Amino acid sequence: MKAAVLTAFGSPLVVDTVPDPVIGTGEAIVDVVAAPVLAYADEVFSGARRYLLPPPVIPGCGAIGRVRTVGPDATVLRAGDWVFCDPTVRARDDAVMPDIVLQGWSARGEGGQRLQDHHRHGAFAERVRVPTENAIRIGPIAEAQAGHWCALTTLLVPYGGLLAADLRAGETLLVSGATGHFGSAAVAVGLAMGAACIVAPGRNAAVLEDLVRRFGDRIRPVALTGDEATDRARMTAAAPGPIDCVLDILPPSVDARVVRAAVMTVRPGGRAVLMGGVGMLGGDDLALPYPWIMRNDVTVRGKWMYPPDAVGRLAALVRSGLLRLEEYAVTDFPLNAANEAVAHAAATGGPFRLTVLRPGSGRENGTG
């Protein structure tokens, strides 16, 4: 089969013929129809993000495809089923604290790296091998829709955070990082889950205006000034009442003070979930005041990715019409243009934009 291979950090992807994946018990082989190219893929492949993805490796984080072959222990999954290939692979030998790897993307800890030795190669290929439970049926779709369904890879991340926050219909949500790729997805998912109002802070006025245009007056935009006290006051004033929940999903480059300003808008008894990358590149700690957390009975928790059942639940929101994949503009590339796709994703990444590889396509770049 053909695949795009990362031979070394800092080197371009090499599209070449590689051995077909070999199925084992508890696994499935999926024909990749569309694979998302994340906006920061160039930072991963250059080594700037220091991800544990030892080359040579076929990268690619998630895919939409059709099942080619299933193992002998599959009881429901069938050849031909349309599936989302969930890149979040969990070890099966510890139900309480499983090691986790993002297939074709990264691993954490010694156990995660051992898991990565087997579930190593990702979706920048004509076929991918995944654990059976990671080939999750999404129901029949037209092949032309596969690129839009790649938005699940983005939408699932904030969905995991909002599930962890126990967001309830009718509540007011603040999305810290609302103008970013994952933050704008959090806005869409929060509304689909029934948030009555979403406070959307950011510095990009055009994106804030676009969020209001897309979703209406349930969005309360806030232009950030960079002054912590001023921004906290502005965010609090923008809400129609107490802010029940804060989701932070800001990238590593942002100062921790921006996060603190947002988190400390939450009401007494409220919840804050941290999903971003702030602090990963150094800088000051978040430094939330102990007395404020304790006296106000505030719950602060971290969340990485999403629970195993999230894919099916999110797909149900799409099928119901509550979450519109059509909000995303999709630009697709054939596999032999993988490097062009990575460059395009870096240059155009942002709210409601997707760059997608079509491994089975030999056509020129186009928009789906």
Side-chain angles (χ1 to χ4, degrees):
M1 70 172 184
K2 293 288 187 181
V5 181
L6 179 67
T7 58
F9 287 118
S11 297
L13 298 173
V14 176
V15 179
D16 202 354
T17 300
V18 301
D20 283 357
V22 177
I23 195 170
T25 301
E27 296 175 343
I29 304 295
V30 176
D31 290 324
V32 178
V33 177
V37 183
L38 301 186
Y40 60 91
D42 62 329
E43 298 177 22
V44 175
F45 301 158
S46 72
R49 290 220 174 193
R50 301 193 293 272
Y51 277 16
L52 295 175
L53 184 66
V57 63
I58 301 169
C61 192
I64 299 295
R66 302 192 76 174
V67 174
R68 170 177 284 254
T69 311
V70 296
D73 57 339
T75 61
V76 176
L77 199 63
R78 296 286 185 270
D81 284 346
W82 280 98
V83 293
F84 172 72
C85 297
D86 185 358
T88 308
V89 177
R90 296 169 174 84
R92 295 164 169 162
D93 52 356
D94 188 341
V96 177
M97 296 177 59
D99 287 302
I100 299 177
V101 61
L102 289 181
Q103 185 174 2
W105 209 243
S106 185
R108 61 181 189 184
E110 181 182 347
Q113 292 174 66
R114 288 203 303 272
L115 185 63
Q116 186 186 57
D117 286 342
H118 182 70
H119 297 294
R120 178 180 185 78
H121 297 301
F124 286 8
E126 292 178 322
R127 286 176 285 284
V128 64
R129 180 185 64 196
V130 298
T132 306
E133 64 270 25
N134 285 61
I136 301 168
R137 295 180 302 162
I138 58 173
I141 65 172
E143 186 167 329
Q145 296 176 312
H148 282 94
W149 277 87
C150 282
L152 291 186
T153 303
T154 298
L155 294 161
L156 277 163
V157 177
Y159 185 48
L162 295 175
L163 290 175
D166 191 25
L167 179 68
R168 302 170 189 176
E171 289 192 320
T172 294
L173 167 69
L174 185 149
V175 176
S176 174
T179 57
H181 180 68
F182 287 105
S184 58
V187 171
V189 173
L191 292 175
M193 293 174 69
C197 172
I198 296 183
V199 179
R203 297 193 183 196
N204 190 322
V207 174
L208 292 175
E209 290 173 6
D210 184 64
L211 288 173
V212 174
R213 179 189 65 79
R214 289 175 186 272
F215 300 117
D217 59 8
R218 290 165 72 190
I219 306 299
R220 303 296 175 90
V222 178
L224 295 177
T225 67
D227 178 79
E228 185 175 345
T230 300
D231 289 341
R232 185 181 304 136
R234 285 189 173 193
M235 288 183 277
T236 302
I243 294 172
D244 301 289
C245 177
V246 173
L247 175 68
D248 177 81
I249 200 159
L250 284 165
S253 58
V254 177
D255 191 287
R257 290 173 294 182
V258 181
V259 183
R260 185 166 58 240
V263 169
M264 292 186 68
T265 64
V266 76
R267 65 168 172 82
R271 297 94 65 200
V273 173
L274 308 178
M275 287 200 87
V278 172
M280 291 176 64
L281 301 179
D284 293 336
D285 193 8
L286 184 54
L288 290 171
Y290 187 116
W292 173 80
I293 296 173
M294 181 270 292
R295 291 173 181 166
N296 289 293
D297 196 24
V298 171
T299 298
V300 180
R301 66 169 292 182
K303 181 62 181 173
W304 190 69
M305 302 305 285
Y306 43 85
D309 66 342
V311 178
R313 296 171 67 178
L314 191 66
L317 288 178
V318 174
R319 293 288 185 186
S320 71
L322 291 168
L323 185 61
R324 286 175 41 84
L325 300 181
E326 293 79 8
E327 295 291 345
Y328 282 85
V330 179
T331 304
D332 56 74
F333 291 80
L335 185 61
N336 60 13
N339 289 300
E340 290 89 335
V342 171
H344 180 272
T348 63
F352 305 110
R353 295 177 182 174
L354 281 175
T355 301
V356 170
L357 277 182
R358 293 272 194 166
S361 171
R363 59 191 174 85
E364 298 300 317
N365 301 357
T367 301

